[in-house]
Amino acid sequence: MNPNHAYATARQLIDPDANYAVHIRTDNAWTKPTDPNHRELPGLDVLMAARRALRAQPVGHVQSTSPGTLDIRTGDGRLWLRFVTASSSRGQAPGDPAPGDRFG
């Protein structure tokens, strides 16, 4: 997927005025950051994270696995983030892909 197209898609999916719960992919599951101050981000920061991942080298990947969810992965696969609208973030993040799955 073209990075500009992927960012445009992220802009359509993310409400800059909403808050999003952060999940980080570990070896076997999605987890929330241990620091309570890093568990939620405003939508504008989520868009910046997507933009940075898509402009990095190697280019990262952005994908929506379900409404209200945005997955961001760095191009080297070392960092996977999932942002879920804060109101629907209770419990496990929806749509848990395996670490070997590829993002568009």
Side-chain angles (χ1 to χ4, degrees):
M1 179 180 275
N2 175 321
N4 291 331
H5 178 70
Y7 181 67
T9 300
R11 286 184 62 186
Q12 291 176 340
L13 295 170
I14 298 299
D15 177 0
D17 297 322
N19 287 326
Y20 291 83
V22 179
H23 297 85
I24 300 171
R25 182 69 186 181
T26 62
D27 289 336
N28 57 0
W30 290 98
T31 62
K32 290 188 177 187
T34 55
D35 185 338
N37 295 322
H38 296 137
R39 290 184 183 171
E40 202 170 285
L41 285 176
L44 195 53
D45 289 345
V46 173
L47 286 172
M48 291 302 295
R51 185 176 180 179
R52 287 182 177 152
L54 292 168
R55 288 187 171 186
Q57 292 299 325
V59 175
H61 303 275
V62 173
Q63 175 184 2
S64 176
T65 56
S66 65
T69 301
L70 185 71
D71 289 349
I72 299 174
R73 180 172 58 99
T74 58
D76 61 9
R78 295 178 72 192
L79 178 64
W80 290 28
L81 299 172
R82 174 168 285 168
F83 298 97
V84 181
T85 52
S87 61
S88 65
S89 66
R90 292 177 181 86
Q92 180 77 14
D96 195 2
D101 285 353
R102 294 192 53 117
F103 287 81

